[in-house]
């Protein structure tokens, strides 16, 4: 498959260099001129120069269609000779009391400029002078009007051929530059036409195609070959393939897939797509970019395996620490100082336990190994339990808490995981709100969705931090400047849980004024 070449470009290139198309078109134009002259009263005997020129054009048309020798791939000079003979036919048509249109010289001149460049300009001018202008002047006896036309014909032909030659040279240069640019980038680029056919690709995408389609490709969107989902195991269906989705007008970023027959040698790709639309807004094609992220995905896999290993190793000693501190706390002989010290150990052990749990969750989510229960749960009860559990912490921090909850609201999902989301949002709201501030929790139904809002009057989030808020290990500049405890994992885990339930999480924030986190979950009976 040609790099960066479309079916349309190939058709245009063929139509502009194929003598058959040119000759048939020029003959049809000559017949139109002849017909108009008859229609407006021109008369001449059958044995005349115009009829001889028509016979010449007919012979040339037949030769162009039937003779392989005239094809550009068989002879470089035959198409030029064909155009010169067409100019001779125009010159013959001018040798008549009712002469044919001299404008017909433009078409062979354009053709010569197209196939011969600047050399075609010289051939056009010379041929028009010898075959059109001089015979016309001799026939008319230097009649003023015909003489003026005869002088202008070479100028017009030369100008037409020159414009075409310069245009084709500029187009060829721009095409070479475009091909160089597209083949230089280390991203696979694919163009689709309005019918989902492959219209063009660069060299990098050709290499990707060889890996993903070792048995060949028909050049149409929707083929999957050896393509798999983000987990590297589930084979994509035609409807799930990036090219098919893009051909329908869908736009997306960072769609991750794996390609390759050998599981050990598969390549990971991040795919982005943008629709190409017509002036009316209809889908006229699409452009896709394929970035190889295999090294990144392998590194993430190693990181997740390491995190999971370390987290599991930490769990056992943590369990012992928490167990022994609980035993110490129950010891009646413990002094007040020792009791406070044990409480500090418990708090830090609990903090470390939560961190380990978060790390394990991150590793599981990234590996796609988390499954969610699908049970009817009363979201009101989940939210109320969380608010009651956090109220004491809020009171100690001087933060007023309030909740506006309906009597009941049922969603289908994993109650423990959803409670984890609510706890994270409410705890964060209290943590980032200064003494004297307020946190309000609201739950309502909206267009078939359960909408949970956690609003605070706290520190707010800097606008440049909002876009990264749900990234792994990201901490806002306010959290870092005030040394607020946290690993930057809670919100990313909350986002994974919400999206795993078919919902979405949003945030609105104004620095120094507070934030509103909004969770939308599909309501269910």
């Amino acid at each position: 498959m040609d790099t960066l070449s479309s079916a349309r470009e190939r058709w245009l290139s063929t139509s502009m260099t194929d003598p058959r198309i040119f000759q048939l078109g020029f003959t049809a134009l000559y017949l139109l001129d002849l017909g108009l002259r008859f229609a407006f009263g021109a008369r001449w005997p059958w044995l005349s120069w115009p009829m001889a020129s028509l016979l010449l054009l007919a012979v040339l048309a037949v030769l162009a269609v039937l003779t392989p020798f005239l094809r550009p791939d068989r002879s470089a000079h035959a198409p030029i000779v064909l155009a010169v003979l067409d100019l001779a036919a125009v010159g013959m048509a001018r040798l008549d009391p009712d002469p044919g249109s001299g404008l017909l010289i433009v078409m062979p001149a354009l053709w010569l400029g197209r196939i011969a460049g600047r050399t075609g300009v010289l051939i056009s001018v010379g041929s028009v002078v010898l075959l059109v202008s001089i015979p016309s002047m001799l026939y008319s006896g230097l009649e003023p009007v015909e003489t003026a036309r005869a002088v202008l014909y070479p100028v017009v032909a030369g100008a037409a051929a020159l414009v075409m030659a310069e245009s084709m040279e500029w187009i060829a240069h721009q095409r070479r530059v475009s091909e160089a640019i597209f083949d230089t980038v280390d991203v696979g680029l694919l163009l689709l036409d309005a019918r989902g056919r492959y219209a063009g690709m660069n060299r990098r995408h050709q290499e990707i195609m060889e890996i993903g389609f070792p048995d060949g490709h028909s050049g149409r969107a929707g083929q999957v070959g050896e393509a798999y989902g983000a987990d590297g195991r589930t084979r994509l269906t035609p409807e799930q393939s990036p090219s098919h989705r893009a051909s329908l007008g869908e736009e997306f970023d960072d769609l991750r897939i794996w390609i390759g027959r050998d599981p050990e040698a598969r390549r990971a790709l991040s795919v982005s797509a943008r629709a190409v639309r017509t002036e009316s807004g209809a889908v006229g094609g699409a452009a896709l970019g394929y970035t190889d992220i295999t090294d990144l995905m392998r590194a993430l896999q190693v990181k997740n395996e390491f995190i999971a290993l370390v987290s599991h190793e930490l769990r056992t000693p943590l369990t012992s620490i928490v167990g022994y501190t609980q035993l110490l706390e129950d010891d009646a002989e413990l002094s007040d100082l020792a009791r406070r010290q044990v409480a500090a150990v418990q708090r830090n052990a609990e903090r470390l336990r939560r961190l380990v749990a978060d790390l394990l969750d991150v590793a599981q989510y990234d590996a796609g190994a988390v499954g969610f229960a699908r049970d009817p749960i009363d979201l009101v009860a989940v939210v109320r339990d969380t608010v009651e559990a956090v109220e004491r912490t809020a009171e100690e921090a001087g933060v007023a808490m309030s909740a506006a909850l309906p009597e009941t609201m049922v969603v289908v999902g994993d109650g423990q995981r959803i409670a984890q989301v609510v706890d994270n949002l409410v705890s964060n709201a209290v943590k980032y709100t200064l003494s004297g501030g307020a946190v309000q929790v609201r739950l309502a139904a909206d267009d078939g969705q359960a909408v949970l809002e956690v609003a605070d009057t706290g520190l707010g989030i800097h606008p440049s931090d909002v876009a990264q808020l749900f990234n792994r290990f990201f901490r806002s500049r306010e959290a870092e400047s005030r040394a607020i405890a946290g690993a930057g994992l809670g919100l990313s885990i909350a986002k994974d849980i919400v999206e795993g339930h078919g919902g979405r999480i949003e945030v609105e924030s104004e620095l120094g004024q507070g934030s509103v986190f909004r969770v939308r979950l599909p309501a269910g009976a």
Side-chain angles (χ1 to χ4, degrees), residues 89-133:
V90 175
M92 294 166 61
R94 300 287 301 163
L95 305 179
D96 192 77
D98 296 310
S101 175
L103 289 175
L104 292 174
I105 63 170
V106 173
M107 193 167 178
L110 289 172
W111 168 260
L112 287 168
R114 169 68 180 88
I115 62 175
R118 290 187 175 89
T119 302
V121 177
L122 299 177
I123 295 174
S124 297
V125 173
S127 299
V128 170
V129 169
L130 293 175
L131 301 175
V132 180
S133 296

Side-chain angles (χ1 to χ4, degrees), residues 256 300 303-304 307 358-370 467-476 486-497 499:
R256 297 185 178 185
L300 289 175
K303 181 205 73 173
N304 291 336
I307 289 175
D358 285 347
L359 288 172
L360 283 172
D361 283 344
V362 167
Q364 289 177 327
Y365 285 121
D366 286 345
V370 176
Q468 305 179 66
L469 205 56
F470 297 98
N471 292 347
R472 301 278 195 258
F473 302 103
F474 176 77
R475 285 173 49 76
S476 68
L489 293 173
L491 287 177
S492 67
I493 293 173
K495 180 174 181 287
D496 288 333
I497 294 172
E499 291 182 349

